[in-house]
Amino acid sequence: MAVAGLGFCATPSKPGSVPKLKAGFLGLPLSFEANQGQTDVTVNFLSRGDGYALFLTSDSAVFKLRSPRRISTPDGPSPSVVRMKLTGASSHARISGADPRPGAVNYFIGNDPSKWVNNVSTLGRVKYQQIYRGIDLVYYGTQRQLEFDLIVSPGADPKQIGLEFAGARPILGSDGSLVLTLNGAPLTFRKPLVYQLVAGRKQIIAGNYEISGDRIHFALGQYDHRRVLVIDPVLSYLTYLGGSMDEMVGNTTYGSNPTQGAVVDSAGNVYVTGYTQSTDFPVLNAIQSASTTTAPTGFITKLNAAGSELIYSTYIGGSVAGDGTTTRPYAIAVDSSGSAYITGFTNSPNFPATAGAYQTACGFVGANGKSNCPGAQSAFLTKLSPSGGLAYSTFFGHSNETAVAVAVDSQGQAYIAGNTVDQCAALSGGNAVGPATCFPTTANAVLPGSTFNQTLNPSNDNQGSAFISVFDAAGAKLLYSSLFGGTGNQSTGNGHPTYGSGVAVDASGYFYLAGTTGSNQLPVTPGAFQTTYYGNPTPGFSTATRGFVAKFKPVSSGASLFYTTYLGGTDPTQLAYQDFVSGIAVDATGNAYISGNASYDFPVTAGAYDTTPCPSTLCENRGFLAKLNPAGSALVWATFVGNQVRPDLSVADTISPPRLDAQGNVYVGGVAGDGMEYPLVNPLQPANEFTGMYVTMYNSTGSAIDFSTVIYNTTNNTGVVNSGVDVDSQGNIYVAGYTSASSLPVTAGAFQPATNGPAGTNNGFIAKINNSIPSPTVTSGGVVPVYSSVSIVQPGEWVSIYGTNLASGVASWNPGTFPTLLDGTSVTIDGKSAYLWYVSPTQINLQVPSDMTVGNVPVVVTTATGAAYSTVTLASVAPSFSLLDAKHVAGIIIRSDGSGAYGDGAYDILGPTGTSLGYPTVAAKAGDIVELFGVGFGPTSPSVAAGALFSGVAATTNPVTLSINNVSVTPSFAGESSAGLYQINLTIPPGLGAGDMTLQASVGGAQTQPTVVISLQ
């Protein structure tokens, strides 16, 4: 099975070169209308948008666009038309709509009501069944792209597929895309991304366009012809964000790695934070709407799912009052309701703290009643409501604190991690030394703030400590807080600093701190993965830094330390090649995923994607990604990140905190110093020597890269900085950062299509990459009796479901009890599991459970990529003949003399004499004994339960009557001969005529479909 998914879009033109198409062409073509007289009769379905119309005929897609160039005609701009024709396509393909959408379309044109067309339903997909032999075609819309899938059945030849274009000439772009030029403006089919879905995971397959004469074909690499082949993720949007001066999205931790400056919520809205020096940063529904200084001031922005509009955007920081202070947000998190949590640092006493918050003053208030800010700085934690209102905001810390990471649990409790050098020291001005000025910790802290009270512990020296702190849902109470690191006492350790960089909380409430340390005094726990610090133990001398991970029990259980482990290389002599942890993520079972910069001998594991040893100690700019088990006692897997072949040329300059999807795939990003040396898998932009950002998706075992791209400035080598990656439930990837590059691949309709400010000014950017695996869909009216087309079925009946992405491959049941799960696909009918016989991406054959109620009931198809919903009407009797084609009944003629063409001479297949159906069939004559097949002929005696094999005969309890050419014929037997399949035996009487004669059966007051024929001679 193969699916080719192709996105058609406008290519942005360079300023001053070719005219731009209207952005409306990239409006969402997410709904189609059936043609009910509102357009030409050759059109089956149509879609309209701002500046374009799409018409689907029996073998073509016709795009009609308003020309971007003024033509001298009385009517103004003339339309431009591109026709994409599928060459050699069948004119008999069944064309149908699927995925009904809310709303309807009405056409009230002119004053003749007889010509009005109203209540036209809208659909999400249009399907062409058997557009080629064994190949279906599906049109649909995803975000800002019109796409289509070509679904190739097992044994079918994809070389049948050919595309021809009229109105524009196609050429291959340098990046593998297919480019057409229309009145001087380029239109683009992006280079296909090809993969197969195997057990819910993607395997990448080679695929390209191929031009042969005036036709386009697909050149495909080797693939499993039993499985779906999916082609083409697209850049859904990329937008700039900023004013006329510098912006920085997120910030950096120790080791210069990015913080989590952007996140996405369940609705696909993106939240971004950082700082700006612009007084014209875009704001909307702001809590602070203006800035009067160019000093660094925080911003928080929420962007809609299309990347086209702000939901809210606000400054945050004291410098809006013109005090010249600095506020720098570092990280952001979002809860299930859409509330955002932002953390960082500020030195402004005017930062907006809320009444009742845990700490309402910056730094500490001295004897003079004044804050010691801006002479000091505090961390902060701010929560905004889903609409951008200020829910709470608190300072945190008294001297020199910076929070760099934030997480939130299901109860709305916020967890922050950061760093401090608080010594509880007196400041000028006569402020007293005392515990109140120490870093705020709780009684159960691993390392209390009083550790660095110089009055109590004069030998301790805070060279730098990490901290982890937990706030209640109101931001008013400190539930847990601790410093983390060494005491700085050189009589008991080497006195080097510890830096926090990541925080996470799992579904059970366990929370995690990750970071980097040079200290040999961490509170490691017995049985941890690495209990030894591999660095210089001697105080006062340089030492290698190593990563660390600490796990704490839930705050509701006392928040005690569960484990601490070092994480890094084991060569203490190579001080220049160290480990730096960037961040941490956790899954539902308590596995921790850690990213960072790797020393040359970081402990990667066998079977991971990149375990290439460094040829010397000279392997810089390599990242790592590791999965640590829930006990913290062993690595599940660990891989290097960077150049797999030449680790000495690796260019993973930075690496972001990791993010997870529901399948356990892991996503990281960062800066790639050379796009030719970073590993790419079906990238959005081709390899290039320019510096850019990278985004990489590893599978759940860390053994393969499923997707990896670089994004860079297309005109010159300008830095593009990654400030965080995230992923939504559909597998779409989001990335944000900042750059002074003016030629990123911005999409039409984006909120901000260009940078602001003079050359060299950094603006933020946000991008969404549609890398999602397609979910299943059921064709409208696509739940029917097997080999039939009626709309009513009975319990216990064999049924076919038609659609797309219904299974990851082709599978049939093995003899025995029918399964309810086959190759990852299951079906329920009115909440009860159906029995599966056959599954494929486009068709499922199943048996309806016997114990069902009648009426209209829901049908749900579930796969690894999602669920599809439909309905079916059940009746106690729902007779239907099985068909060989659209009208000929399925049946056989018994040949007792052994003269038949099938079954070693036992029978012939009943049908028109000859091979018109594609195989030999014979018309029945008077005196022939025939067996006709069907489903739904009602109860039998004995009853036959669904879901199990049946051998024998079970006659219908209600009599079955037949009519052939309007002549009543009495069958000799009617009943089940195998599970769910009915057989009707009769002897053809004389005088019925010759040719295709009408055939109908009646049972229990219900009749079979009226369009069936039986071939007689």
Side-chain angles (χ1 to χ4, degrees), residues 390-417:
L390 189 59
Y392 70 71
S393 187
T394 182
F395 296 100
F396 186 60
H398 304 298
S399 179
N400 192 9
E401 286 75 31
T402 300
V404 299
V406 60
V408 61
D409 65 19
S410 60
Q411 300 177 61
Q413 297 171 159
Y415 302 70
I416 63 172

Side-chain angles (χ1 to χ4, degrees), residues 11-63:
T11 304
S13 34
K14 296 179 180 179
S17 56
V18 295
K20 294 184 179 179
L21 289 173
K22 290 180 66 175
F25 173 62
L26 285 178
L28 306 180
L30 292 179
S31 64
F32 300 88
E33 309 165 21
N35 184 12
Q36 299 181 9
Q38 66 268 40
T39 190
D40 188 88
V41 294
T42 61
V43 175
N44 299 96
F45 289 86
L46 67 149
S47 177
R48 301 182 188 274
D50 181 16
Y52 80 94
L54 167 69
F55 304 95
L56 300 180
T57 69
S58 61
D59 64 357
S60 299
V62 180
F63 303 90

Side-chain angles (χ1 to χ4, degrees), residues 979-995:
L981 180 65
Y982 290 78
Q983 174 180 318
I984 300 174
N985 299 350
L986 70 150
T987 299
I988 301 296
L992 296 179

Side-chain angles (χ1 to χ4, degrees), residues 953-1007:
V953 292
T956 60
T957 57
N958 296 315
V960 175
T961 60
L962 291 176
S963 172
I964 301 176
N965 197 17
N966 296 316
V967 176
S968 178
V969 178
T970 301
S972 59
F973 171 79
E976 288 186 76
S977 56
S978 62
L981 180 65
Y982 290 78
Q983 174 180 318
I984 300 174
N985 299 350
L986 70 150
T987 299
I988 301 296
L992 296 179
D996 286 343
M997 299 298 159
T998 59
L999 170 69
Q1000 197 161 30
S1002 298
V1003 59
Q1007 292 184 320

